[in-house]
Amino acid sequence: MGRFLLRRAVESLVALFLASLVVFLGVRSLPGDPALAISGEGRDPTVNAAIRERYGLDEPVPVQYVRWASFALSGDLGTSIRTRQPVAEEIVSRIPVTLELAAMAALIAIAIGLPLGILAAVRRQTFLDYLAGSIGLVGLSIPTFWLGLILILVFAIGLGVLPASGYVPFGKDPLANLERMILPALVLGVGFGAVLLRQVRSAMITSLGSDYVRTARAKGLTERQVVLGHALRNSLITVVTILGLELGTLISGSVVTESIFLIPGFGRLIIEAVQRRDYPVIQGVALVSAVAYILINFIVDVLYSTLNPRVRVSGRAA
Amino acid sequence: MTSTALDPAAIRGPGVARRLLARPPAAIGLVVAVSMVAVAILAPIIAPFRPEANDFAAILSPPTPTHPFGTDELGRDILSRVIWGARASMQAGVLATLIAVVIAVPIGLLAGYHRGLLDTLVMRVTDALLAFPFLIIAVGLAAILGPSLLNATAAIGIVQAPKLIRITRGEVLSLREEAFVQAAIADGAPDRSVIFRHILPNALNVLLVQATVVLPFAILAEATLSFLGLGVQPPTPSWGVMLTAAQPYLGTAPWFAIMPGLAILITTLSFNLVGDGLRDVLDPRLER
Amino acid sequence: MTQRHFGLVFAVVLTVTACGGATPSAPPGAPASAGPPGSATASGDAAGPARGGEVTISAFEDADTLDPTFSGTAGTRLILINTCEKLYDLDEAGGLIPQLAAAMPEVDGLKMTIKLRENVKFNDGTPFDAAAVVKSLERHRTIAESRRAGELSSISAAAAADPSTVVLTLSKPDAAVVGALSDRAGMIMSPAKLDELGADFGNFPVCVGPFSFVERTVGDRTVLERSEHYYDADNVYLDRITIRLVADETVRTANLRSGDLQLVDRVATTDVAALEGDAQFVVLKKTSNAYSSLFINLANANGIAGEPGTVTNPLADERIREAFELSLDRDQINQIVYTGLHEPGCGPITPASPYFNAPTCPARDIAAAKQLIAEAGVATPIKVRFQMQATPVNTRLGELIQTQTAEAGFEVELTPFDNATALQNQVDGNFDVSLARWSGRVDPDANIYRFHHTTGADNYPKASDPDIDALLDQARTEYEEAARKAVYAQLEEKLRARRSSITFQHEVLYSAHTTGLKGYALYVDGMPRLAHAYLSGD
């Protein structure tokens, strides 16, 4: 176990290093001068030159990378070219927002996907299966931004029961916070729930057909015990694995959702930084996402391997 | 994810299609999906108007017999633009999926078969790429390559590749341990032969199913990229571009937004149905 | 959702919106007539303004920094307008009036004397005086990376003659200085706060203003609250203002309707009619100094900082250029792209400016266009690369121009790019035609010089004409309004003939607020001045 963990940890670090390289180089291949891009209207060559000088943008790329990486390792992600604020601060203020959105979306997804997936698997090929499947498919096929706009139209403008946008920190006013997060979480959670539903159904079907379950049934265990006992546990493993893999998708989906509902989260920070070519922010944000993703997958791997010893021997299962 | 190693007999052609069509949802999905592709190909023939034909006297008019879906902000027929839009969406979907598969399959095959250093490298690089929200990479790629449907398609395909690489690799890993493959290796068959005759055909099934998942996602991705302002060049229509253009008119001309949105929904739905059907048909364990 | 179902939902939506109402999120104000009746207002209230209440307004753009010296965005002005007063300001008609200055400046040769308002305090309680003004002006002029240095380039020195008089020494006559001092270059910062924060002043700006800065969450909102130190605090009524970033115009209107905003700074032209028809809202309209135009690449072959060169642009030939302009229909553009709500125009000075000369814009003439093309001997279709930032409005515009110019034989290829790439393309000369919008300044020189002078920082076409340069330099030094206007008339005629930048639209600003908000008027610069606004009733 120890050797496995060590190997995985080293691999994660390598992945992190590669990710930072990808971001650093990728950002510099985007067309457009950052000083120009953030300057808004009215080009001022003197100011642009001063900005380029201050951020070392004209130095050789390897030199820039080493400087950035060494600061990053000590926790200093630099300052935003646009706002002149420390990148780390901007990120830290946004993370809880996106985390809350992702958590709520995940809860909604699990609430939709888990019961419906189990139901569909248990009642395979019946009307209920098709119904659950259809719900899942529609959830998968709806464009996020379309759904968001429709929800605002109906709930915020039409019925006036929910605010159209904005964010209030949970600590400040829990009710107002939830009021504002429910629609965007719904938008995100629907798509995610659909994915979950299908995977849970598939995993449940597989395990319901397995030898272990047939033995359990032959031994006289009730259907409920079989389903909720063994099969469900397998589905939970699936849920956890997918949550880890789909984290990136969740943040991607949140970009559009955050833009429509005006949530000051991570997704919006990234996309706006990319559009403004704010190198330090893009690099910082990408690095933090990469760390989060790699860390989560590391944890998932560890969990998975404790639950399924065969994985440890043959390496990652998927 | 559990392996879905398959019975080699299950992949033989004719039985698949028949069994697929026997399931109503999959059959419907197949029919609709094929129709969408047909619509895209036949657009010049079946569309009543040219997609760029303006009519300033009839801006944002509601559905009428001449314009069954109404007209848009420049007086263009929405039905025709939805039909022509199928081309952009189909191209984005099919081409992006193809690109992803063409990149992913060779790399996944080699990594999963040979293991060792190559495998570790591939795993770490895909880890690194998967760590980023796809949209960021897609936006960045589209910005670097320049705005065009082709470049947006390429960006989407490239972004989907890492996931497919992992899936392919996973399949190859488990297939390698199967009895018939071990037998072939023990017989002394060269690597190339083992890969192409034994592993690839079986892995293809999983890939086929995955492709039907990637394709609708690529269609949605094109729509999202268009929503963010990258992708198809005006005045070429794509469903995503139409949704973006319709946004300011949601209150005054709702039909403008509904039709392209429905088109996306129906198309992605149909491909998902086909994918589901294929998965059910090709996995023998589900037959029990 | 089928169309019929959506229609049903929509009908429900309309009914509920019409019957219910979005109430402003403000507690009822104190009983009426707590003080003197409000100062002259656009929407006065008979009982007199009541003190109290909070208002949330939208900002269409995020501020980069709240530091007036380093700011490059309109988003900053949207916030600072209520918390950081300037030496001069605009009145409702768009003319310049003193704000922190006591009167318009006295100009004597190269000396400009500015008398200051007395008994004024910064929002941290420290006294406002000439020394503070000089300190701010010097910072704007000289600190590294200052974006105001160019605007104040004609000032060579600033000194305090006495605690309420500042004397500026100019290096050459400059009629645009007062205009510059009515924007960020004229914002005076608290010396105590400058000493404390230095280059980080933008983290907690303290100036003279009806409201003082409370807090800011970048990319989300800024909060201001009424200042007790303000010299006219008796006539300030609102307790708090929250400025929220809402970049999407559709979302802005949605939030106004849902009651999350009481004031929208910029309303999309597509939403104006619906809001005007809704009794819960007041829609304001004002012609601004902003305009949209098409840059034509004349000689930008090596980048704007490089030597002019030959470009492959077919429009580099002046006859083809003229043909291109003649195939445009400005009225139709206004009707179709902007719902007829802006104003067609053909010059960089708009009706909002006292220097507007009301030229007759060329009407569409396809026959003349075709003839010019024939004379120039160029084969049709003439391919033109038209680049722009990718937005739905720009796409509409581009497609319309494609149709209009096609009739004369042009084949316009539209290339939308993301913002940063489009800007870079302009700098690199990577365009035949580039769509541009300038948000407009109060002084005409600031709206023209940078685009049309050979050395102009935004002269992307790399157009160069010594006569035009001479007129531009002359207009800058002419203080007398009538004479200056005449110079601009001459200049604009030459600009129209050169066509390095073809203006097609003067922008009209649209703003909307709930009927409960009173004492608010829309100014030419579109900045939301809430100093004397108040809430009353519903």
Side-chain angles (χ1 to χ4, degrees), chain C residues 86-88 96 137 140 148-155 174-187 441-443 446:
Chain C
K86 315 148 277 188
L87 289 173
Y88 299 96
L96 290 167
L137 288 180
H140 289 323
R148 311 277 85 81
E151 296 165 23
L152 300 176
S153 59
S154 55
I155 300 179
D174 188 349
V177 162
V178 180
L181 293 175
S182 74
D183 194 348
R184 286 156 290 188
M187 287 184 183
R441 305 282 180 271
V442 69
D443 191 285

Side-chain angles (χ1 to χ4, degrees), chain B residues 54 56 59 63 73-74 76 81 143 147 229-230 232-235 244-245 247-251 254-255 258-259 262, chain C residues 1-3 6 10 248-250 270-271 332 336 388 390 392 395-396 399-400 402-403 413-418 421:
Chain B
N54 303 325
F56 302 131
I59 293 186
E73 82 278 16
L74 287 176
R76 298 173 294 203
R81 282 177 69 82
L230 302 152
V232 140
Q233 303 277 62
T244 318
Q247 214 188 324
Y249 307 106
L250 263 183
W255 57 85
I258 298 191
M259 290 313 159
L262 268 183
Chain C
M1 234 190 245
T2 64
Q3 183 187 323
F6 194 87
F10 184 58
D248 184 304
E249 52 184 20
T250 319
T270 44
D271 288 327
Q332 191 183 54
I336 300 201
M388 57 199 196
T395 307
R396 275 204 301 274
E399 290 174 337
L400 183 57
Q402 263 180 335
T403 312
E413 181 202 342
L414 290 175
T415 55
F417 291 98
D418 74 304
T421 315

Side-chain angles (χ1 to χ4, degrees), chain C residues 462-494:
Chain C
K462 280 206 88 63
S464 180
D465 180 332
D467 292 338
I468 290 181
D469 286 355
L471 283 171
L472 280 168
D473 289 323
Q474 186 189 347
R476 265 188 166 175
T477 62
E478 185 56 70
Y479 286 101
E480 207 270 297
E481 191 175 297
R484 205 175 175 208
K485 190 168 171 182
V487 176
Y488 277 119
Q490 263 192 299
L491 175 65
E492 281 195 292
E493 209 183 300
K494 287 196 184 289

Side-chain angles (χ1 to χ4, degrees), chain C residues 145-389:
Chain C
E145 284 180 48
S146 163
R147 290 191 189 273
R148 311 277 85 81
E151 296 165 23
L152 300 176
S153 59
S154 55
I155 300 179
S156 56
D162 62 54
S164 56
T165 312
V166 171
V167 177
L168 302 176
T169 312
L170 305 177
S171 55
K172 50 183 189 264
D174 188 349
V177 162
V178 180
L181 293 175
S182 74
D183 194 348
R184 286 156 290 188
M187 287 184 183
I188 310 302
M189 302 166 273
S190 154
K193 208 64 182 176
L194 278 178
D195 288 338
E196 182 193 326
L197 295 178
D200 289 332
F201 178 81
N203 291 350
F204 203 103
V206 174
C207 310
V208 178
F211 297 90
S212 55
F213 178 82
V214 174
E215 62 180 1
R216 177 184 181 204
T217 314
V218 175
D220 185 27
R221 70 187 62 213
T222 307
V223 180
L224 309 172
E225 68 183 8
R226 185 172 63 238
S227 167
E228 58 195 8
H229 299 290
Y230 186 56
Y231 57 87
D232 194 20
D234 286 342
N235 288 324
V236 180
Y237 306 104
L238 292 172
D239 285 337
R240 252 179 177 229
I241 305 175
T242 305
I243 302 124
R244 282 180 58 200
L245 168 67
V246 188
D248 184 304
E249 52 184 20
T250 319
V251 178
R252 283 203 285 278
T253 308
N255 277 270
L256 181 69
R257 287 191 180 284
S258 67
D260 292 275
L261 291 172
Q262 283 76 57
L263 170 70
V264 168
D265 58 335
R266 300 274 188 282
V267 176
T269 55
T270 44
D271 288 327
V272 168
L275 285 174
E276 277 179 334
D278 191 329
Q280 295 173 79
F281 305 112
V282 175
V283 176
L284 303 170
K285 149 183 176 165
K286 198 87 174 186
T287 308
S288 71
N289 285 304
Y291 63 91
S292 296
S293 59
L294 306 173
F295 283 128
I296 314 288
N297 191 347
L298 299 184
N300 188 342
N302 304 309
I304 191 177
E307 286 300 305
T310 322
V311 292
T312 57
N313 183 5
L315 298 180
D317 178 328
E318 63 178 3
R319 287 163 300 185
I320 309 289
R321 211 149 68 236
E322 187 179 346
F324 192 78
E325 186 183 9
L326 286 173
S327 63
L328 297 176
D329 184 339
R330 288 175 168 83
D331 281 311
Q332 191 183 54
I333 290 177
N334 188 26
Q335 281 307 314
I336 300 201
V337 180
Y338 305 106
T339 329
L341 292 175
H342 288 310
E343 282 171 22
C346 45
I349 302 181
T350 79
S353 170
Y355 298 95
F356 180 60
N357 280 299
T360 319
C361 292
R364 187 172 201 238
D365 192 339
I366 293 293
K370 285 187 174 164
Q371 189 171 354
L372 279 165
I373 294 178
E375 275 170 26
V378 178
T380 60
I382 304 177
K383 289 199 198 284
V384 176
R385 263 192 77 236
F386 186 124
Q387 77 125 19
M388 57 199 196
Q389 290 175 22

Side-chain angles (χ1 to χ4, degrees), chain A residues 107-147:
Chain A
L107 276 175
I108 291 179
I110 294 176
I112 299 177
L114 198 58
L116 283 179
I118 296 176
L119 192 65
V122 165
R123 296 262 181 273
R124 251 190 87 198
Q125 309 260 337
T126 65
F127 173 70
L128 275 173
D129 183 12
Y130 291 139
L131 185 63
S134 313
I135 296 176
L137 281 176
V138 170
L140 256 184
S141 314
I142 279 193
T144 328
F145 50 95
W146 200 51
L147 183 60

Side-chain angles (χ1 to χ4, degrees), chain A residues 31-33 36-45 47 50-51 54 82-85 94 150 152-154 156-159 163-167 180 260 262 264 268 275-277, chain C residues 6 9 13 16-17 62-64 70 72 145-147 199 203 218-221 244-246 251 254-255 257-258 260 304 418 420-421 423-424 427 437-439 441 450 457-458 460:
Chain A
D33 169 18
L36 182 68
I38 58 114
S39 65
E41 257 188 351
R43 182 177 152 262
D44 190 330
V47 172
I51 290 178
R54 177 149 67 91
R82 183 172 176 272
T83 65
R84 304 163 71 100
Q85 306 281 12
R94 303 258 194 155
I150 303 275
I152 292 183
L153 197 63
V154 171
I157 300 179
L159 301 173
S165 67
Y167 175 77
R180 282 162 178 75
I260 297 177
L262 301 178
R268 251 180 72 200
Q275 281 167 346
R276 294 191 182 112
R277 309 289 193 267
Chain C
F6 194 87
V9 170
V13 161
V16 175
T17 324
D62 195 19
D64 49 359
F70 302 118
E145 284 180 48
S146 163
R147 290 191 189 273
N203 291 350
V218 175
D220 185 27
R221 70 187 62 213
R244 282 180 58 200
L245 168 67
V246 188
V251 178
N255 277 270
R257 287 191 180 284
S258 67
D260 292 275
I304 191 177
D418 74 304
T421 315
L423 287 175
Q424 191 66 46
V427 166
R437 178 196 169 264
W438 176 245
S439 66
R441 305 282 180 271
R450 52 175 50 245
D458 287 318
Y460 302 110

